[in-house]
């Protein structure tokens, strides 16, 4: 896994890409949030009717999934740019909140719900 670069660097690359094409006028919060959901649905299509183990996905399938994941991330990064939200800090705060919400002693006792 490549760990070089940062979320901030990726966001700046994306912001520059958008600015060079003058697409900012289309990047309203509502449109970006809808695009996140649309791209997430496209990602889910790769798993619909399929319950494979991770090792069973072909390289071609992984490449297609990676593109959809990148689309979701790009729209989230754009939304955070437009709204002036530091997504890295927001994520750290959410992890800290979840640590309190799901303490280790309770997490180990949690039962799976759903199917």
């Amino acid at each position: 896994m490549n760990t070089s670069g940062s979320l901030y660097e990726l966001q700046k690359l994306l912001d520059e890409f958008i600015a060079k094409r003058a697409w900012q006028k289309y990047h309203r919060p509502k449109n970006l949030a809808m695009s996140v959901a649309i791209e997430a649905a496209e990602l889910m299509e790769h798993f619909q009717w399929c319950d494979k183990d991770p090792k069973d996905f072909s390289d071609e399938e992984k490449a297609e999934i990676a593109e959809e994941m990148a689309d979701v991330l790009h729209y989230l990064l754009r939304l955070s740019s437009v709204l002036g939200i530091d997504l890295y800090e927001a994520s750290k705060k959410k992890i800290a909140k979840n640590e309190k919400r799901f303490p280790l002693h309770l997490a180990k006792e949690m039962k799976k719900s759903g199917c």
Side-chain angles (χ1 to χ4, degrees), residues 45-101:
E45 283 183 317
H46 290 275
F47 303 99
Q48 186 177 18
W49 316 118
C50 156
D51 192 17
K52 293 182 188 179
D53 284 330
K55 64 179 174 25
D56 295 332
F57 285 91
S58 70
D59 289 343
E60 181 180 332
E61 288 172 314
K62 288 180 190 177
E64 291 172 7
I65 290 166
E67 284 193 16
E68 298 302 344
M69 291 172 69
D71 286 340
V72 172
L73 178 61
H74 292 169
Y75 281 118
L76 282 173
L77 289 172
R78 280 300 297 155
L79 184 56
S80 66
S81 282
V82 167
L83 293 175
I85 293 171
D86 183 331
L87 196 53
Y88 179 81
E89 286 301 318
S91 184
K92 284 180 21 181
K93 286 179 184 176
K94 183 64 177 184
I95 290 168
K97 182 178 181 178
N98 283 341
E99 284 178 341
K100 291 177 184 170
R101 188 172 170 209

